[in-house]
């Protein structure tokens, strides 16, 4: 049983009891609105409550108008829908269409438009959506531990991927099924989604670290995939393979570091100078192989540059890993 289900049940029960205490009719209407108002984050819940209240108020206004003019007939309900729903959609109030319908159907059930009836419906909106908002604000599950766990998984999988790449450079016949690549892609997407929820649950003093972190990892994964495409073209071991393999092994450990130390960047710069001192390719095959290795090195530079570029933002990325 999820926490949202528990919160929904609690909000609905409290709203119904409150409506009974205030002698609102029907009290179950407040429970329905409370159910509709419970959301997955504080910010989304607050926005949803405002949208639903505004939409329901507009719906109540239009319904009062058409029922007063044409009477309480079923076909008038269809007229109300044709008039009101496009207006709500036009003003980005689509989330409030259902709550608006609930209020209007209750008005239809009363069979009259009076100050008391309208006041009753407004109070039902306040009670139902109000309790949903209060319950949303009282408790939201903490995502910090989950985000830390996802972060650790991403770094572990990146380490495995770099190790496998190093093994392939040393032995091009090495076989790797690439399952870690699919898994890290899934975890990064999940982390990005959780980071958004974590941000929406912090109305004040929002922490942008997690969104930036998973954005960084997503961009770096694209760079890793580009390196793997070039690695697939390396079918023979050359002298250029070993120093790049050593750097990938180093990065497989450094990726788990809590601080950016720049060791890999320095080694990569030295490797660039080393490659320039080596003899030029003698055959077309050697040229193509070394071109693939060169592109891998360049993509590895891009991988490291992504972390540095995002770190320049005014974001807490002091503990961003390479």
């Amino acid at each position: 049983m999820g926490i949202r289900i528990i919160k929904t049940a609690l909000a609905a029960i409290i709203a119904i009891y409150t409506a009974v205490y205030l002698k609102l009719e029907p009290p179950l209407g407040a429970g329905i609105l409370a159910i509709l108002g419970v959301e997955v984050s504080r910010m989304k819940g607050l926005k949803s409550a405002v949208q639903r209240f505004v939409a329901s108020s507009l719906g109540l206004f239009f319904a009062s108008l058409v029922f007063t003019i044409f009477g309480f007939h079923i076909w008038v309900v269809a007229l109300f829908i044709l008039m009101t729903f496009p207006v709500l959609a036009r003003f980005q109030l689509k989330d409030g269409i259902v709550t608006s319908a609930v209020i209007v159907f209750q008005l239809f059930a009363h069979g009259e438009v009076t100050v008391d009836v309208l006041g009753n419906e407004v109070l039902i909106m306040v009670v139902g959506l109000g309790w949903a908002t209060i319950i949303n604000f009282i408790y939201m599950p903490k995502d910090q531990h989950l985000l830390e766990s996802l972060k650790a998984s991403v770094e572990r999988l990146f380490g495995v991927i770099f190790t496998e790449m190093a093994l392939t450079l040393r032995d091009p016949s090495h076989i790797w099924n690439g399952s870690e690549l699919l898994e890290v892609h899934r975890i990064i997407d999940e982390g990005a989604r959780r980071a958004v929820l974590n941000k929406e649950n912090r109305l004040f003093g929002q922490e942008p670290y997690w969104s930036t972190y998973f954005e960084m990892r997503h961009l770096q994964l694209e760079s890793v995939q580009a390196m793997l495409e070039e690695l697939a073209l390396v079918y023979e071991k050359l002298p250029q393979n070993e120093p790049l393999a050593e750097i990938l092994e180093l990065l497989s450990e450094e990726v788990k570091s809590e601080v950016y130390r720049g060791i890999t960047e320095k080694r990569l710069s030295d490797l660039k100078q080393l490659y320039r001192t080596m003899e030029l390719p003698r055959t077309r095959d050697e040229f193509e192989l070394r071109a693939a290795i060169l592109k891998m090195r360049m993509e590895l530079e891009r991988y490291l540059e992504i972390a540095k570029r995002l770190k320049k933002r005014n974001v807490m990325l002091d503990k961003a890993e390479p």
Side-chain angles (χ1 to χ4, degrees):
M1 183 182 297
I3 186 63
R4 186 178 179 183
I5 296 177
I6 297 174
K7 287 165 53 180
T8 301
L10 184 62
I13 291 299
I14 296 176
I16 292 171
Y17 275 119
T18 303
V20 170
Y21 176 79
L22 296 176
K23 296 182 173 56
L24 303 178
E25 291 294 338
L28 292 178
I32 294 174
L33 295 184
I35 291 172
L36 294 172
V38 174
E39 292 289 351
V40 296
S41 69
R42 290 189 176 101
M43 182 60 72
K44 190 172 182 179
L46 182 60
K47 290 181 178 178
S48 174
V50 172
Q51 288 184 358
R52 292 179 190 279
F53 185 83
V54 173
S56 299
S57 299
L58 288 174
L60 191 60
F61 171 77
F62 285 120
S64 301
L65 189 63
V66 296
F67 288 148
T68 299
I69 295 174
F70 300 105
F72 286 83
H73 305 290
I74 294 177
W75 65 268
V76 179
V77 175
L79 179 62
F80 160 78
I81 293 174
L82 292 172
M83 288 178 53
T84 309
F85 285 13
V87 174
L88 297 181
R90 175 68 179 80
F91 288 97
Q92 305 298 316
L93 296 172
K94 290 186 289 185
D95 288 346
I97 286 177
V98 176
T99 51
S100 175
V102 170
I103 293 298
V104 170
F105 289 164
Q106 289 176 175
L107 177 63
F108 183 84
H110 283 289
E112 60 178 347
V113 178
T114 65
V115 174
D116 289 340
V117 170
L118 294 177
N120 177 82
E121 297 305 319
V122 171
L123 285 176
I124 285 180
M125 287 190 289
V126 172
V127 170
L129 297 175
W131 275 115
T133 303
I134 291 171
I135 296 299
N136 266 334
F137 269 76
I138 288 177
Y139 178 77
M140 276 291 174
K142 302 296 183 183
D143 285 329
Q144 189 69 20
H145 293 302
L146 176 59
L147 288 167
E148 291 283 359
S149 176
L150 292 173
K151 173 176 174 288
S153 296
V154 168
E155 290 160 8
R156 177 183 61 81
L157 290 168
F158 265 71
V160 172
I161 292 170
F162 289 133
T163 299
E164 292 292 339
M165 292 170 67
L167 290 173
T168 303
L169 282 172
R170 291 195 172 102
D171 179 12
S173 64
H174 174 71
I175 297 176
W176 171 50
N177 62 16
S179 60
E180 290 83 3
L181 192 65
L182 298 175
E183 181 67 8
V184 76
H185 192 285
R186 183 191 66 79
I187 294 176
I188 288 174
D189 286 345
E190 175 66 12
R193 186 182 71 83
R194 291 285 181 176
V196 171
L197 290 178
N198 182 65
K199 185 177 180 180
E200 289 181 347
N201 279 329
R202 300 167 65 95
L203 298 181
F204 306 102
Q206 294 182 356
E207 174 56 77
Y209 170 73
W210 289 113
S211 295
T212 305
Y213 175 82
F214 286 107
E215 177 192 354
M216 177 186 73
R217 290 305 185 195
H218 176 75
L219 293 173
Q220 288 181 325
L221 182 59
E222 292 179 354
S223 185
V224 169
Q225 289 172 326
M227 281 189 274
L228 288 171
E229 290 176 4
E230 299 301 329
L231 182 61
L233 303 176
V234 180
Y235 56 86
E236 183 180 341
K237 185 175 180 180
L238 297 176
Q240 289 78 11
N241 292 30
E242 181 59 30
L244 183 57
E246 291 177 358
I247 290 177
L248 288 170
E249 279 190 337
L250 173 64
L251 188 56
S252 70
E253 293 300 323
E254 197 174 32
V255 74
K256 304 169 188 175
S257 172
E258 285 298 318
V259 293
Y260 182 83
R261 296 178 294 179
I263 298 176
T264 304
E265 184 180 11
K266 176 63 170 61
R267 291 284 299 274
L268 201 58
S269 178
D270 294 340
L271 179 62
K272 184 177 180 179
Q273 298 301 320
L274 176 63
Y275 280 172
R276 287 179 175 177
T277 64
M278 291 183 172
E279 294 183 358
L280 296 175
R282 296 181 179 180
T283 65
R284 181 182 179 85
D285 288 345
E286 184 184 354
F287 173 80
E288 291 176 349
L289 287 170
R290 289 177 63 173
I293 295 171
L294 177 62
K295 289 181 180 178
M296 283 186 65
R297 182 191 62 76
M298 293 172 66
E299 279 297 334
L300 193 53
E301 288 180 345
R302 176 172 170 261
Y303 170 94
L304 296 174
E305 184 62 30
I306 289 169
K308 290 176 63 178
R309 185 173 71 249
L310 293 178
K311 190 174 181 180
K312 289 179 181 178
R313 299 181 184 179
N314 293 325
V315 176
M316 288 180 62
L317 272 178
D318 291 335
K319 60 178 184 178
E321 299 77 2

